[in-house]
Amino acid sequence: DAKTTQPPSMDCAEGRAANLPCNHSTISGNEYVYWYRQIHSQGPQYIIHGLKNNETNEMASLIITEDRKSSTLILPHATLRDTAVYYCIVRSRGGATNKLIFGTGTLLAVQP
Amino acid sequence: GAVVSQHPSRVICKSGTSVKIECRSLDFQATTMFWYRQFPKQSLMLMATSNEGSKATYEQGVEKDKFLINHASLTLSTLTVTSAHPEDSSFYICSASRQDRRRDTQYFGPGTRLTVL
């Protein structure tokens, strides 16, 4: 699976949009971009995933560049409860296993 | 969203004893479950892939005789840490793979904090 690069940490003011970038320049055509987050001492939580089109759900929006070499996760109105480590992971679907390989992620600190 | 539970949430044991951790998918069937380990201030490390009705597949460097995995049903996988030692103290997290027409997504349990004295 392709590697991803994320900034180690980011700050965001409460109520503002949080934009978390991810570089995945070696992504291949059948690999999806997945985002998870992990609040301290809890299991990771699925946020969103996409292939090439932008995606939106009740939690966030995912913007994938046209060349698919990078993406941005957008939390439209960050709250203090969004403080967590956010992981961007690329992997293919439908293989014999669909294991996720976690990198170091981005620690998002939402400030009051 | 799908719900995955783990039991116990926290366990303290003496060195040399064995500890069993259960992972259950509560509202869906999971042919594949995964076990991760996370040390303080580090990311999750995949330990093994658990397939219902067959042997688990272990990642490189993970001792299969020390970390016994059983996936006896479509909703339950267990991880047994045998002859635990203080260096096995960690946060153990499972996930279950939910596959349907639109999605192929892993959902994670809340984790089990193991402390070996």
Side-chain angles (χ1 to χ4, degrees):
Chain A
D1 291 334
K3 281 191 172 180
T4 62
T5 305
Q6 298 178 253
S9 63
M10 291 181 65
D11 286 347
C12 175
E14 189 178 18
R16 304 296 294 268
N19 297 285
L20 292 99
C22 179
N23 285 322
H24 31 80
S25 58
T26 59
I27 192 170
S28 59
N30 65 343
E31 287 182 318
Y32 287 70
V33 180
Y34 282 77
W35 283 84
Y36 283 79
R37 72 180 182 184
Q38 186 180 26
I39 295 169
H40 183 62
S41 293
Q42 297 183 23
Q45 177 187 21
Y46 166 79
I47 302 173
I48 200 167
H49 76 280
L51 181 63
K52 53 184 177 181
N53 297 323
N54 297 338
E55 302 286 345
T56 296
N57 63 19
E58 63 279 3
M59 287 184 70
S61 294
L62 174 60
I63 308 298
I64 303 174
T65 58
E66 194 169 339
D67 63 8
R68 301 208 325 122
K69 293 185 176 182
S70 66
S71 61
T72 301
L73 178 75
I74 301 172
L75 307 179
H77 305 286
T79 70
L80 298 179
R81 288 179 295 180
D82 292 323
T83 292
V85 178
Y86 286 77
Y87 296 99
C88 167
I89 302 168
V90 296
R91 70 163 180 87
S92 53
R93 281 185 58 180
T97 65
N98 58 352
K99 58 187 181 181
L100 296 171
I101 304 300
F102 284 79
T104 52
T106 296
L107 173 58
L108 175 68
V110 180
Q111 309 290 346
Chain B
V3 180
V4 176
S5 70
Q6 279 184 244
H7 178 80
S9 58
R10 187 179 293 266
V11 57
I12 300 172
C13 69
K14 291 183 179 178
S15 188
T17 61
S18 294
V19 174
K20 180 186 282 190
I21 303 170
E22 292 186 349
C23 176
R24 292 181 186 273
S25 55
L26 298 185
D27 54 357
F28 66 100
Q29 293 184 330
T31 54
T32 306
M33 291 184 172
F34 302 85
W35 287 96
Y36 296 81
R37 181 167 53 178
Q38 186 174 34
F39 293 108
K41 298 192 187 305
Q42 294 186 23
S43 188
L44 284 81
M45 254 181 29
L46 179 66
M47 298 175 67
T49 302
S50 167
N51 296 296
E52 189 265 336
S54 64
K55 289 184 179 179
T57 304
Y58 291 82
E59 295 298 304
Q60 195 170 11
V62 178
E63 300 175 57
K64 63 179 181 180
D65 294 330
K66 180 165 183 64
F67 299 100
L68 301 179
I69 291 171
N70 183 278
H71 193 157
S73 78
L74 288 173
T75 59
L76 173 64
S77 175
T78 60
L79 168 69
T80 301
V81 183
T82 62
S83 186
H85 290 284
E87 58 265 29
D88 298 322
S89 298
S90 188
F91 192 47
Y92 292 86
I93 309 169
C94 73
S95 70
S97 178
R98 180 175 190 173
Q99 298 183 355
D100 57 32
R101 188 174 58 85
R102 292 184 299 116
R103 300 224 269 193
D104 173 16
T105 303
Q106 280 188 41
Y107 294 92
F108 286 80
T112 296
R113 175 88 45 202
L114 170 64
T115 303
V116 185
L117 302 176

